[in-house]
Amino acid sequence: MQDKTTRAGTAPIIKRDVVSRIAPGVVVAGVGVSNAEPVRGAELTARSRLEQLFDPGTFMEIDAGVTHRGRDFGMDGKVIPGDGVICGFGEINGRTVYAYAQDRAVLGGSLGEAHAHKITKILDLAGSAGKPVVCINDSGGARIQEGVEALCGYGEIFRRNVKYSGVIPQISLLMGPCAGGAVYSPALTDFVVMVHKKSYMFVTGPKVVKAVNHEDVDTETLGGGQMHATRSGVAHFLAASEIDGLEIARKLLTYLPSNNMESPPFVAPDPERDPPWRLCKRLELIVPEARQKPYDVRDVIAEVFDRESFLEVRARFAQSVSVGFARLGGFPVGIIANNPAILAGVLDIDASRKAARFVRTCNAFGLPIISLIDVPGFLPGREQEHNGIIDHGAKLCYAYCEATVPKLSVILRKAYGGAYIVMSSKHVGGDFNFSWPTAEIAVMGAAGAVEILFSKDLAKHPDPLARAVELTDEYNAKFCNPGVGQARGYLDAVIQPADTRKVLCQSLRAIADKREELPYKRNGNVPL
Ligand code: HXC
């Protein structure tokens, strides 16, 4: 991949504008003719975004001459070649990728019949060719002047987003204020990249919110990148700039196959600096033995996986679990790792949703799933129950049970209760399950267990505190080690922390060609 600074340069890149793609002799009236500069608030024009996305000189446009057929609200007087969206294909790191970029300078990037038809053509071409598609959204949604023609256009796009979901990678970049269908289509794709203080996503914008709810809310609060990256979780990546967002899309594709029938791209690690058998001696320093002490699991990831290969997904959302792509001995993998640095690594509603979705993404594109487990369980409490932790936790269980890609896991310290079961255990189809020597597998922590089992006995005991300590020690001795799991074969091996990379690399090679078929069904019924 090229260096970001050389691709981007220092000044904003303004290369061509919509004028340059207007065919000679075509009448253009009223719109789209003054776009020599990026529109208000944007860094790049629609065309320069595409030029920045693709390897230099490889983008080829199609359908530049398509025009709309609108006749109402003054549209009959306007001829707009291209109808506000630039479509085509090119190369990213030498691999073919299809793309479109909506042009906010033309009727707010709104989507009419012809505009939609161009997009569905690109999606169909990408789907049938088995190539990824990058969708650059910058649109106020359905073109108000075209009525039902615009709405049906979105329906056609959604149907294709779903048809090709799990077939080709679909990456959505949000590059301006986007509303209506311009946010639903991204939500149906694999990844959503937003740009800080530049892009906004809402089903209805602030003006409509004001009209309907009489509520004053600014665009940033309603649907800014910060909100979607931290609260709603809609944004998988929050880029610092448009160029940064385009680089994220390029980088993301380096982990993904072009389609679900291809293998993910292998990138050999440096054999001197980063051999697969490299010992990870720092792990014992990173992970404290005391099971309540926090540490950041991303330090473990950095140590175990190929150097600098981790690309975290939804990094600012539901941070008690960290998910993302990395390479292990050169093979792209997906990582699901409880993060004890945040809420002790507990699985709450958002963490379950985030992890479940990522498991499904990896499974769709054939990336082995590596789970690093240190989890106290699912988060108890009224708020979680009322908001449906049962269904959301079940989503995670469903995703692991359904995944047929190789599934490897390492219990670093503890795996309690339902979280032990759902997170890649042997019982939900884990292929290789390892633990460090200090790992604990139990229904719950010792204090809670003693309280539930012995509260009546303790109340009657002459020295309840001493007895509670005794019982806690007994519980710890029984469960706070990997002995039973190993004896039953639920753990394939107990490994030294320093051997984690070597063991995972070896086992990944051993299971890489795994084949598993599920029974035929129209669709499974994933919990809501
Ligand atoms: C036609 C539109 C448009 C639209 C914006 N424009 N949205 N034209 N159809 N949907 C035009 C404006 O008239 C204006 O034209 C130019 O784009 C810029 O718009 P502004 O409002 O000045 O820009 P800004 O203040 O940045 O606000 C951007 C915005 C706002 C937040 C996106 O324009 C907005 O709320 N638009 C409507 C959003 C919406 O409700 N869309 C329909 C959704 S229904 P001029 O000529 O003045 O420059 C839908 C159906 C599918 O999409 C739903 C699936 C679930």
Side-chain angles (χ1 to χ4, degrees):
M1 193 189 297
Q2 293 183 39
D3 178 62
K4 195 191 286 191
T5 47
T6 52
R7 280 181 55 78
T10 45
I13 295 168
I14 303 162
K15 295 200 170 118
R16 272 176 271 160
D17 59 11
V18 285
V19 179
S20 68
R21 57 197 159 83
I22 295 170
V26 173
V27 179
V28 179
V31 286
V33 293
S34 59
N35 187 25
E37 301 279 322
V39 286
R40 175 168 52 91
E43 292 165 22
L44 304 171
T45 64
R47 183 168 299 278
S48 50
R49 286 170 183 162
L50 287 168
E51 286 175 355
Q52 195 67 29
L53 173 70
F54 287 107
D55 298 346
T58 64
F59 178 64
M60 180 171 163
E61 184 174 4
I62 61 169
D63 279 346
V66 167
T67 57
H68 72 83
R69 295 189 290 180
R71 290 290 166 264
D72 301 314
F73 293 103
M75 291 297 286
D76 48 350
K78 294 169 181 169
V79 179
I80 311 160
D83 204 33
V85 60
I86 308 173
C87 298
F89 56 90
E91 289 180 13
I92 294 182
N93 298 311
R95 295 160 72 201
T96 297
V97 174
Y98 286 77
Y100 66 83
Q102 295 177 310
D103 190 343
R104 188 157 30 116
V106 180
L107 296 170
S110 61
L111 179 137
E113 177 216 17
H115 181 123
H117 187 70
K118 286 180 66 175
I119 292 176
T120 55
K121 192 193 227 183
I122 282 294
L123 293 173
D124 282 335
L125 282 166
S128 56
K131 304 295 180 194
V133 64
V134 176
C135 315
I136 304 181
N137 296 269
D138 194 350
S139 166
R143 186 172 296 160
I144 295 162
Q145 299 91 322
E146 289 198 30
V148 70
E149 301 281 19
L151 297 180
C152 79
Y154 266 125
E156 298 289 339
I157 291 171
F158 299 161
R159 184 157 62 88
R160 281 154 178 93
N161 288 143
V162 173
K163 179 176 176 184
Y164 302 123
S165 178
V167 178
I168 53 169
Q170 301 181 57
I171 299 175
S172 295
L173 299 171
L174 283 295
M175 292 271 169
C178 292
V183 301
Y184 267 110
S185 172
L188 293 169
T189 64
D190 299 301
F191 301 100
V192 170
V193 184
M194 292 187 74
V195 182
H196 188 49
K197 299 264 166 98
K198 296 277 178 205
S199 59
Y200 308 94
M201 295 178 79
F202 18 68
V203 174
T204 48
K207 288 173 196 165
V208 181
V209 171
K210 173 82 178 160
V212 177
N213 297 355
H214 309 292
E215 190 188 340
D216 280 309
V217 59
D218 61 86
T219 47
E220 187 64 36
T221 309
L222 188 63
Q226 183 71 13
M227 188 284 287
H228 281 308
T230 57
R231 265 191 97 158
S232 73
V234 167
H236 296 77
F237 298 95
L238 183 58
S241 65
E242 292 185 19
I243 287 170
D244 187 33
L246 294 159
E247 281 299 329
I248 289 171
R250 289 173 60 86
K251 182 160 189 201
L252 200 42
L253 288 168
T254 65
Y255 298 90
L256 298 168
S258 291
N259 60 66
N260 61 337
M261 306 299 278
E262 270 186 10
S263 298
F266 177 84
V267 179
D270 181 341
E272 298 296 316
R273 198 172 145 252
D274 206 13
W277 55 89
R278 170 170 59 75
L279 291 181
C280 304
K281 296 205 172 124
R282 282 193 62 241
L283 289 178
E284 292 195 39
L285 302 174
I286 294 168
V287 181
E289 216 171 288
R291 66 183 87 99
Q292 317 291 10
K293 276 204 173 167
Y295 63 93
D296 195 326
V297 78
R298 288 170 297 188
D299 295 334
V300 174
I301 293 171
E303 190 62 20
V304 170
F305 294 84
D306 294 359
R307 298 280 189 213
E308 285 106 42
S309 73
F310 184 48
L311 176 65
E312 191 169 5
V313 176
R314 284 183 163 147
R316 299 161 193 235
F317 174 69
Q319 293 175 309
S320 63
V321 66
S322 182
V323 307
F325 298 110
R327 291 191 190 79
L328 189 61
F331 292 101
V333 296
I335 301 169
I336 321 283
N338 311 112
N339 193 356
I342 308 290
L343 296 173
V346 78
L347 283 172
D348 60 6
I349 288 174
D350 286 344
S352 303
R353 288 202 296 129
K354 170 176 162 179
R357 164 72 184 211
F358 192 67
V359 167
R360 291 174 68 88
T361 302
C362 293
N363 191 52
F365 294 113
L367 274 83
I369 294 163
I370 316 264
S371 305
L372 301 179
I373 299 164
D374 189 347
V375 60
F378 285 97
L379 183 62
R382 182 160 49 173
E383 185 258 337
Q384 291 285 306
E385 298 291 352
H386 287 194
N387 289 304
I389 181 86
I390 296 173
D391 269 344
H392 296 292
K395 266 181 205 164
L396 182 56
C397 182
Y398 197 108
Y400 269 111
C401 290
E402 185 187 41
T404 53
V405 291
K407 288 178 279 190
L408 289 74
S409 70
V410 185
I411 301 176
L412 308 181
R413 271 195 324 193
K414 59 189 179 301
Y416 290 159
Y420 157 71
I421 306 169
V422 305
M423 286 206 58
S424 201
S425 70
K426 206 52 108 193
H427 330 294
V428 297
D431 295 296
F432 284 120
N433 297 76
F434 304 107
S435 89
W436 289 359
T438 47
E440 303 169 14
I441 305 172
V443 175
M444 60 181 67
V450 168
E451 170 66 25
I452 289 173
L453 291 179
F454 302 107
S455 58
K456 284 186 196 132
D457 298 355
L458 287 173
K460 287 186 248 156
H461 201 278
D463 188 351
L465 270 183
R467 178 66 185 141
V469 169
E470 221 172 80
L471 288 166
T472 305
D473 287 348
E474 200 180 312
Y475 184 94
N476 278 334
K478 179 125 191 92
F479 294 111
C480 295
N481 60 70
V484 179
Q486 207 181 6
R488 301 277 189 278
Y490 305 150
L491 294 173
D492 298 294
V494 175
I495 61 170
Q496 291 305 318
D499 291 333
T500 304
R501 173 177 169 81
K502 180 171 169 274
V503 168
L504 285 175
C505 282
Q506 272 187 311
S507 350
L508 183 60
R509 274 174 181 271
I511 195 73
D513 296 329
K514 173 190 175 188
R515 289 283 173 269
E516 184 186 337
E517 298 290 329
L518 296 177
Y520 168 78
K521 50 179 119 173
R522 288 196 182 80
N523 64 252
N525 218 352
V526 183
L528 257 188

